[in-house]
C-alpha cells in the first residue's frame, strides 16, 4: 500500500454511516420477507462460467467477471441472482419442496461502465415464488413490496401492474404482424421518448400509421384480464390500500422472458425511475436448464432504495451513532468504577464506547462530537467516592451528576 | 445448466436452514460488537492485486484468486479483512477519527486445497481497535469474546492469553541465540506434537539440551508482565468471570507480526481447536503501507463457530421454521377470509406462509410437515360463516376451532 493505493473504479468502501444504512435496509427487507414465510438462500460468489452464461450468450459474457482458475477451470463472479437460484433448483430438486418461496440478498458483479448510480459491485435483493401458477403468488409479491417500503418510511409510492398477456392481445388486435417483442421494446420507451418518439420508432419498424393508432387506442382502453383481476382482488384482501397499486397498460419492462403479470414500483417524490420490478416468468427456469417450474418474482433495487432513502432523508435516526454513551478515560484511580459502569450499561442494552486512551478530556469530548455520540460519562475521584457519575448531554451541553441507577433511567 | 451442473469444489450453497444459522450467528456477533461501540465497515470483493499482496509476497499470491480484468488491471478477490482495513485507514485518514473500533463480517476467497472444514469461500469476522496502546483495548476484545460466545449459548470455553513480550523474555533468558521467531514456530506446535516433538525440533534447529531445558523451565514458571496484568485486571472489571480466561505461557500463535498480548479461544466440549484468535500488532498497518497506528484485534472463526454450534446443537430452535403459521388454500369461497387472516397474523408479527396452490389438503399438510411449520390454519365455509378459524398443531396433531382473536392469543 502506498500513496497511490485506491479502491477500484465502480467499487465502494462503506464506512460506518453508509454501512449502517445498508444493514438497516437489509434487515427490514429480510424481516418483511420472513413475515411472508419466505426462506433465505445464499449461493457462492464464484461459479462455473458455463453455469453463469447458460444460454444468454454474448450479452452476459461481455459484462461477466470471468477468468481461468489455478485448476484450469473457467469460472466467473455471480452476475445476478436468478441463474444461481435456477442452479439450486436443479441441483437440490430432492431437498426443496415446492412451492418454494425464497429470498436472496447478495452482491453481484458486472464489468459495466461505471457512472452515477451504476456500480461494478452492487447488491441485489430478489424474492421469488417457484412452483405456483396461482394469482395469489403475484398478490403476495405486491403485498411484500407494500410492507417493505412502508417499513422503510416511504410514504408515497405506486406499484404499477400490467400483464404480458394483455399486451400480446393488444398487439394481435391492432393487426401488427411483426414480432411482438420488437413492438414491446418500442412501447417500453414511452416514459423516455414519449408518444411521438415511440410512434416514429414503430414506423421505422414497418408498422402502418393505422396499426399504430389502433395500437394506442387499444392501450388507452385496455383492461386487466381475468387472471390480473384475481391478482388485484387478492392484493386488496391482503391489506394493501388502493392508493398504492394500479393497472398500467403502458408498462412493458425490458426483458423478453415474462409470461404473465409484470410490475414496477415508483417513488412519487423522486425521479430516480423504477426502484424495483418483476413479474411472472413461467418458462425461464426450464430454459436455463432447470426443472419445469412456474415462477414469479421481484427484484428490489437495493442500491436505488439506498439512494432515495439518503436523498429524501427517510431514516434520519441512522445519522446518529448507534453508540449511545461514551465513557471517558478520565482518571486512572477511578478506572475500576468506569469499567464496571461500562459493563452495567451494556447489560442494559445501551451501546457503550469506552475511550481507551488517557488523552486530555477536551480531546475526548471532541471525539464524542465527531462520532455523534449523544452522551459522555465521566467518573472523577469525587464521583467515585460518592458512588456517583457525571454525564453530559452532547447536544444541549448540559452536565449532571447522578447515581448510576438514575443514569440508567435517563438513558434507557 | 444441465445434468452436470454443479457448484465449484470448496464452495457452498446455503439452503434455508443453514442460511438461517449463519444469519443468526452474524446478527449475534453484530449486536455484540455494536454494544461495545464498534462500527461496521465493508470493503469490495475485488481490489487491485498490488493492494492485496502488499509485501506478503508469494505465500498470499499462491492462494489468491487473481486475474486481469477487461481494462487490463491486475485484480484479485479479497483474501482477508486485515489488508482491506489497512487500505481504508490509508485512504480515509481524514474521515476516520482514532481510536477507531471497527468490525467487518464478509466472505474471503482462497484457492486452497478444500478439505473438511476448509473452504475456498468462507466468512471472516474481525474486530479491531486502531489507535490505542492501552491495555483497555485488549480487555475490551476479551470481554467481547466472552459476551458473544455466551449469547451464542456456549457454556464452557476458555480464552487463553499470553504475550509476545513475555515469550521474547523467556527466549532471551534461556540463552538462545537464534532468531526468536524460529523458536516460536516450534513452541507453537506443543499441542500438536507434544513436549518431546518440540524438543527434538529445537535440537534440530541448533539449540543445546541445556538451552531447551532452561526454555521449558522458564515457560513453566512464567508470569504475566505488567501490561498483561493490567489487561487481566480490566477484563475482570468488565465483568468476565475468572473461569473463562487464563494466562497460558505456551500460547504462541502462528503469525510473526504480533508485538504484545495474544489470545486464542477454545471450546471445552469440542476438539475442533481454536475457534478464534488475535492479539496486538502495533507495526503491521504501517508495514502494509498504512499509517503508523497501534492495533489490537481478534478474528472470530466464523465457519468453526457454525460447525461447533451444529455439532453441539446449541441453537435447536433454528431447526424450527421461522414461519409460525401456514394458511391452507382450502376453499375458493373462503379465500377472502383466509387472505385477511394472513394479513392480520403478519400485523401481529407472526411469520405466515400462505399456501398459494389449490392442492389437495393432505398434500398441503404434508408440505407444512416438510417445512416444520408448527401450525396450519384452515377456513372452510362453516368457519367463514361463523367468523371462526380451525387450526392444527402439527406436533400434537390436535385441531381446534376458535375465533381469530383467540388464535392470536394462542400463537403470540
Amino acid at each position: 500500500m502506498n500513496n497511490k493505493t485506491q479502491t477500484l473504479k465502480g467499487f465502494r468502501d462503506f464506512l460506518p454511516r453508509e454501512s449502517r444504512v445498508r444493514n438497516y435496509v437489509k434487515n427490514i427487507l429480510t424481516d418483511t420477507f420472513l413475515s411472508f414465510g419466505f426462506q433465505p438462500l445464499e449461493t457462492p460468489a464464484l461459479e462455473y462460467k458455463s453455469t453463469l452464461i447458460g444460454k444468454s450468450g454474448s450479452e452476459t459474457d461481455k459484462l461477466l467477471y470471468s477468468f481461468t482458475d489455478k485448476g484450469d477451470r473457467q469460472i466467473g463472479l455471480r452476475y445476478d441472482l436468478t441463474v444461481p437460484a435456477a442452479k439450486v433448483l436443479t441441483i437440490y430438486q430432492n431437498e426443496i419442496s415446492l412451492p418454494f418461496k425464497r429470498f436472496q440478498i447478495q452482491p453481484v458483479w458486472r464489468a459495466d461502465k461505471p457512472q452515477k448510480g451504476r456500480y461494478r459491485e452492487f447488491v441485489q435483493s430478489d424474492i421469488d415464488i417457484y412452483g405456483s401458477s396461482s394469482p395469489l403468488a403475484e398478490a403476495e409479491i405486491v403485498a411484500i413490496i407494500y410492507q417493505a417500503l412502508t417499513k422503510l418510511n416511504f410514504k408515497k409510492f405506486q406499484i404499477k401492474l400490467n400483464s404480458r398477456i394483455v399486451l400480446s392481445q393488444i398487439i394481435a388486435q391492432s393487426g401488427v404482424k411483426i414480432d411482438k417483442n420488437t413492438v414491446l421494446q418500442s412501447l417500453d420507451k414511452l416514459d423516455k421518448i414519449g408518444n411521438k418518439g415511440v410512434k416514429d420508432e414503430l414506423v421505422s419498424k414497418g408498422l402502418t400509421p393505422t396499426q399504430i393508432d389502433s395500437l394506442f387506442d387499444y392501450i388507452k382502453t385496455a383492461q386487466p384480464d381475468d387472471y390480473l383481476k384475481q391478482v388485484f382482488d387478492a392484493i386488496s384482501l391482503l391489506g394493501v390500500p388502493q392508493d398504492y397499486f394500479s393497472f398500467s397498460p403502458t408498462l412493458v419492462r425490458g426483458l423478453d422472458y415474462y409470461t404473465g403479470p409484470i410490475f414496477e414500483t415508483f417513488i412519487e417524490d423522486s425521479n430516480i425511475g423504477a426502484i424495483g420490478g418483476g413479474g411472472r416468468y413461467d418458462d425461464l427456469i426450464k430454459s436455463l436448464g432447470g426443472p419445469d417450474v412456474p415462477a414469479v418474482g421481484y427484484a428490489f433495487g437495493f442500491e436505488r432504495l439506498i439512494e432515495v432513502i439518503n436523498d429524501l432523508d427517510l431514516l434520519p435516526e441512522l445519522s446518529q451513532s448507534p453508540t449511545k454513551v461514551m465513557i471517558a478515560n478520565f482518571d486512572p484511580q477511578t478506572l475500576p468504577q468506569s469499567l464496571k459502569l461500562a459493563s452495567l450499561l451494556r447489560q442494559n442494552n445501551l451501546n457503550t464506547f469506552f475511550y481507551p486512551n488517557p488523552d486530555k478530556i477536551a480531546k475526548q469530548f471532541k471525539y464524542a462530537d465527531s462520532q455523534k455520540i449523544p452522551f459522555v460519562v465521566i467518573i472523577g475521584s469525587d464521583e467515585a467516592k460518592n458512588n456517583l457519575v457525571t454525564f453530559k448531554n452532547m447536544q444541549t451541553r448540559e452536565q449532571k451528576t447522578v447515581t448510576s441507577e438514575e443514569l440508567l433511567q435517563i438513558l434507557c
Side-chain angles (χ1 to χ4, degrees), chain A:
Chain A
M1 237 155 282
N2 53 46
N3 293 335
K4 294 187 316 179
T5 297
Q6 51 184 330
T7 300
L8 281 161
K9 220 175 142 187
F11 292 79
R12 293 166 291 171
D13 299 300
F14 297 114
L15 300 188
R17 192 201 160 273
E18 292 160 284
S19 182
R20 230 144 55 210
V21 175
R22 298 175 73 80
N23 281 319
Y24 180 86
V25 173
K26 242 179 251 182
N27 288 341
I28 292 277
L29 292 176
T30 299
D31 288 346
T32 310
F33 302 158
L34 288 171
S35 82
F36 281 76
F38 280 59
Q39 300 285 322
L41 179 69
E42 292 170 79
T43 63
L46 290 168
E47 300 272 9
Y48 281 103
K49 187 176 172 181
S50 58
T51 302
L52 295 172
I53 296 276
K55 287 174 184 161
S56 65
S58 64
E59 198 46 45
T60 303
D61 197 9
K62 232 171 54 189
L63 299 181
L64 195 71
Y65 279 100
S66 63
F67 58 102
T68 307
D69 77 359
K70 280 158 179 134
D72 227 16
R73 287 167 286 256
Q74 300 286 313
I75 63 176
L77 282 163
R78 190 169 52 223
Y79 171 90
D80 70 3
L81 304 180
T82 305
V83 164
K87 182 201 77 170
V88 165
L89 288 169
T90 307
I91 298 182
Y92 306 95
Q93 288 186 49
N94 298 329
E95 291 170 57
I96 293 173
S97 307
L98 298 179
F100 181 40
K101 305 186 182 185
R102 87 91 176 76
F103 67 91
Q104 192 168 355
I105 308 177
Q106 290 193 286
V108 302
W109 296 271
R110 294 188 186 175
D112 213 342
K113 206 177 156 63
Q115 55 186 55
K116 184 178 167 357
R118 192 196 286 159
Y119 307 101
R120 287 178 166 157
E121 175 179 59
F122 58 98
V123 165
Q124 285 195 336
S125 172
D126 283 15
I127 51 173
D128 293 88
I129 299 177
Y130 301 105
S132 176
S133 301
S134 162
L136 298 177
E138 276 89 346
E140 288 236 301
I141 299 270
V142 172
I144 291 177
I145 302 168
Y146 170 73
Q147 286 298 340
L149 294 184
T150 301
K151 282 189 202 161
L152 286 170
N153 249 351
F154 288 94
K155 304 286 180 217
K156 288 178 174 178
F157 56 89
Q158 190 61 223
I159 306 161
K160 295 185 177 174
L161 289 96
N162 194 10
S163 167
R164 279 293 171 85
I165 292 169
V166 171
L167 285 167
S168 298
Q169 282 167 347
I170 290 174
I171 294 169
Q173 286 169 325
S174 59
V176 173
K177 298 287 172 236
I178 66 166
D179 174 53
K180 76 167 192 258
N181 281 329
T182 313
V183 180
L184 290 175
Q185 275 156 23
S186 297
L187 286 177
D188 193 31
K189 297 182 188 162
L190 265 173
D191 278 351
K192 276 189 200 139
I193 60 176
N195 270 18
K196 176 146 185 353
V198 172
K199 285 183 181 177
D200 289 350
E201 194 172 301
L202 289 172
V203 167
S204 79
K205 284 181 175 174
L207 270 67
T208 66
T210 320
Q211 285 173 334
I212 295 172
D213 286 345
S214 166
L215 188 66
F216 275 74
D217 283 348
Y218 278 117
I219 288 175
K220 248 182 275 173
T221 58
Q223 294 293 325
D225 61 356
D226 269 359
Y227 187 92
L228 196 51
K229 271 187 207 149
Q230 292 179 61
V231 173
F232 277 110
D233 288 346
I235 294 172
S236 291
L237 290 165
L238 284 168
V240 181
Q242 296 296 331
D243 284 357
Y244 290 87
F245 63 102
S246 56
F247 176 60
S248 172
T250 57
L251 177 69
V252 174
R253 287 193 59 71
L255 299 162
D256 279 358
Y257 56 62
Y258 291 111
T259 57
I262 47 179
F263 13 89
E264 271 183 8
T265 308
F266 296 85
I267 302 298
E268 291 185 14
D269 292 334
S270 160
N271 54 9
I272 201 170
I275 51 134
R280 180 168 283 283
Y281 53 100
D282 284 345
D283 305 329
L284 182 67
I285 300 298
K286 193 180 176 201
S287 85
L288 287 171
D292 185 9
V293 288
V296 54
Y298 180 84
F300 285 83
F302 186 83
E303 305 293 346
R304 286 194 168 192
L305 280 176
I306 302 280
E307 206 179 317
V308 182
I309 284 167
N310 284 330
D311 285 354
L312 302 181
D313 197 22
L314 292 180
L315 302 171
E317 68 278 17
L318 290 183
S319 294
Q320 280 290 322
S321 173
T323 303
K324 191 79 185 255
V325 191
M326 183 180 109
I327 298 185
N329 194 322
F330 186 63
D331 179 348
Q333 296 306 317
T334 60
L335 192 60
Q337 286 87 345
S338 297
L339 289 171
K340 281 183 187 167
L341 181 68
S343 177
L344 178 73
L345 296 176
R346 287 165 185 157
Q347 273 167 35
N348 285 276
N349 295 318
L350 293 163
N351 294 348
T352 303
F353 182 97
F354 200 100
Y355 195 93
N357 303 346
D359 292 331
K360 289 212 174 104
I361 195 70
K363 187 177 174 188
Q364 297 189 41
F365 275 119
K366 212 175 140 194
Y367 179 87
D369 271 332
S370 79
Q371 300 299 300
K372 302 191 179 170
I373 299 173
F375 296 97
V376 175
V377 172
I378 291 171
I379 302 183
S381 55
D382 277 0
E383 285 95 342
K385 222 181 303 164
N386 302 304
N387 263 320
L388 296 171
V389 305
T390 293
F391 78 97
K392 183 169 184 168
N393 180 323
M394 295 303 283
Q395 198 156 15
T396 63
R397 314 309 277 189
E398 276 175 316
Q399 213 166 289
K400 257 190 182 168
T401 301
V402 296
T403 65
S404 31
E405 289 72 31
E406 286 168 333
L407 180 69
L408 275 179
Q409 283 183 348
I410 293 163
L411 298 183
C412 282

